[in-house]
Amino acid sequence: MRNGGASASGAVVTPTTAMRVAAVYASVRIISGAVATLPLQIKRRVDDHTREEATDHELTAVLGRKPNSWQTPSQFKRMMQAHLLLRGNDYALIQRALGGKVSGVIPLNPDRVTVKREPTGALLFKYRRPDGSEIVYSQDRIFHLVGLTLDGINGVSPITYARETIGLSLAMESHGATMFRNGARVSGVLSHPGKLGKEGIENLRTSVDAFSHGGENEGKNLVLEEDMKYERMALTAEDAQWLESRKFGRTDIAMFFGVPPHMIGDTEKSTSWGTGIEQQSIGFVSHTLEDHLTTWEESIARDLIAGNDGDVYARFNRNALVRGDLKTRTVAYVQSLQWGIISPNEARALEDQNPRDGGDVYYDPPNIAGTAAGDPPADERETKE
């Protein structure tokens, strides 16, 4: 089975069934949501030192406003990233207008696409339509996102390598559901010093089952008659460390996707990401999210930007990662203003505010104002004089 199969626990693990595991769903949601909500900008290099927004480029409209006739940019990015996380690959058919300019990108089901490399080195993408027919697209017709790859062409499916961990989680979920459906009671044996007839056995089983299936009797003691004894056949869920095993499963799944455990709700243990929640979050951005953002940027440059547009490139605005933290943004703006990195109007633009009069000035850095490159600060010159 492509991108899945039966695990040792007996549970069948596919991208669809894997999403039923809370840790998998949370990991995919967090990473794909971050990619979906970050602004993706199309920029142009004017010269070696100057960059500008390429608002006149067709990709600004396609990736920034309308990738196709039914999806918003965030929907398109979220769907593509989710497929990438669950299958290791994702594909979109490139629509082109007259002159070869990109006019849209249509997502393809990655389970229906196979990639073949020709002797010339070119890639061919065979797509199986829902009706069973097949069509082959050349490399210039497909936008291809590739995750971790071992052959340079096909991405590795995390579901394949995490199959046993996810399968165990699915099996434990099924066990838990069955246990609570049966009143959260394990099976046992009722022993009678004498001998019960067939009718007595059926009556006893009916009454015990009715008692053990919850309801108003839940939590009460079972009263046995005629010197009957109850012997437990298995350990309780707590004694078997069922809950503890579920915690280990969550941590392992988070590790496969590169998500700090605290982001999927596991805050009990510190990890190698760092000792604090803040450090773990920074590690997620640096070591996990940055990998996916770079994949998008380089894939766009390869598949969607024409060769004669070498000065055009795609760039996620990573500054938006802290837009929910006013204090961090404010401190960064103040320091950037003090050192002449940005102007007040540029800071206002980052906050979606209109420019103000006189706000295009770049302040001189502190302590070295008014000095030329290589000259000592003014107070040092006065001392020497």
Side-chain angles (χ1 to χ4, degrees):
M1 183 181 296
R2 188 178 181 185
N3 291 325
S7 63
S9 65
V12 177
V13 180
T14 67
T16 300
T17 60
M19 287 289 280
R20 299 173 187 169
V21 177
V24 175
Y25 185 95
S27 298
V28 173
R29 175 184 59 81
I30 289 168
I31 297 175
S32 60
V35 173
T37 55
L38 277 183
L40 178 58
Q41 301 170 329
I42 305 301
K43 311 195 81 171
R44 180 181 287 110
R45 300 180 185 87
V46 178
D47 53 43
D48 292 341
H49 306 288
T50 307
R51 309 289 186 269
E52 66 179 11
E53 296 283 342
T55 55
D56 59 334
H57 197 276
E58 67 270 16
L59 285 183
T60 297
V62 172
L63 298 178
R65 291 193 291 272
K66 192 176 182 181
N68 49 59
S69 62
W70 70 92
Q71 287 183 306
T72 65
S74 64
Q75 289 174 336
F76 173 77
K77 290 185 289 184
R78 182 179 286 106
M79 177 182 180
M80 295 284 287
Q81 184 62 43
H83 282 166
L84 180 63
L85 291 168
L86 292 170
R87 294 167 171 86
N89 297 273
D90 199 28
Y91 313 87
L93 179 64
I94 303 172
Q95 293 182 310
R96 298 188 185 274
L98 294 177
K101 292 186 175 182
V102 177
S103 61
V105 278
I106 300 177
L108 300 176
N109 186 336
D111 293 337
R112 297 178 175 273
V113 179
T114 55
V115 186
K116 178 183 178 182
R117 187 174 184 180
E118 294 289 276
T120 60
L123 299 181
L124 294 180
F125 298 82
K126 181 185 293 186
Y127 176 65
R128 178 170 49 85
R129 297 188 178 102
D131 62 5
S133 62
E134 295 182 342
I135 184 171
V136 177
Y137 294 109
S138 58
Q139 188 172 347
D140 63 342
R141 293 296 311 280
I142 298 294
F143 173 48
H144 184 194
L145 292 174
V146 186
L148 175 65
T149 177
L150 302 179
D151 63 4
I153 299 174
N154 296 286
V156 170
S157 168
I159 300 303
T160 300
Y161 289 89
R163 179 186 303 159
E164 298 305 328
T165 300
I166 296 174
L168 180 60
S169 296
L170 285 169
M172 293 179 69
E173 292 288 343
S174 177
H175 164 72
T178 301
M179 181 184 67
F180 284 103
R181 184 175 66 245
N182 292 328
R185 297 290 188 271
V186 297
S187 299
V189 172
L190 288 171
S191 60
H192 190 279
K195 184 176 181 180
L196 291 175
K198 183 177 181 180
E199 182 178 355
I201 293 175
E202 290 300 324
N203 290 337
L204 179 61
R205 179 182 292 116
T206 300
S207 61
V208 171
D209 285 347
F211 180 89
S212 63
H213 286 178
E216 63 181 12
N217 292 322
E218 182 68 32
K220 295 182 179 179
N221 294 321
L222 177 63
V223 179
L224 301 177
E225 300 178 359
E226 300 182 5
D227 295 328
M228 294 184 66
K229 296 181 180 179
Y230 176 77
E231 296 180 4
R232 196 178 296 274
M233 291 292 292
L235 297 175
T236 64
E238 183 178 11
D239 292 337
Q241 295 185 332
W242 178 67
L243 294 176
E244 189 66 25
S245 297
R246 292 188 66 193
K247 294 175 184 177
F248 281 123
R250 287 202 306 265
T251 302
D252 286 347
I253 290 172
M255 178 178 62
F256 271 107
F257 285 98
V259 176
H262 80 271
M263 297 186 73
I264 63 170
D266 186 358
T267 58
E268 294 185 8
K269 301 177 181 178
S270 61
T271 70
S272 58
W273 292 82
T275 56
I277 297 297
E278 181 180 3
Q279 292 301 316
Q280 293 182 39
S281 299
I282 293 173
F284 168 70
V285 172
S286 301
H287 304 300
T288 298
L289 190 56
E290 182 65 28
D291 183 23
H292 295 293
L293 300 182
T294 301
T295 295
W296 273 83
E297 292 168 347
E298 294 181 348
S299 299
I300 291 171
R302 180 195 61 201
D303 298 335
L304 299 180
I305 297 177
N308 57 0
D309 277 343
D311 292 329
V312 176
Y313 64 97
R315 179 75 174 173
F316 280 96
N317 183 3
R318 290 153 173 83
N319 293 328
L321 288 169
V322 296
R323 59 185 161 195
D325 187 345
L326 178 61
K327 179 180 179 180
T328 299
R329 295 201 316 273
T330 302
V331 171
Y333 293 153
V334 169
Q335 293 179 346
S336 296
L337 289 168
Q338 287 178 341
W339 287 94
I341 299 174
I342 62 175
S343 68
N345 279 344
E346 288 173 333
R348 292 178 63 83
L350 292 173
E351 290 295 307
D352 203 25
Q353 299 289 327
N354 293 329
R356 64 175 177 82
D357 293 339
D360 292 321
V361 62
Y362 292 88
Y363 300 114
D364 292 325
N367 301 327
I368 58 173
T371 63
D375 289 345
D379 54 350
E380 294 185 11
R381 293 200 309 271
E382 291 175 358
T383 302
K384 291 181 180 180
E385 293 174 356

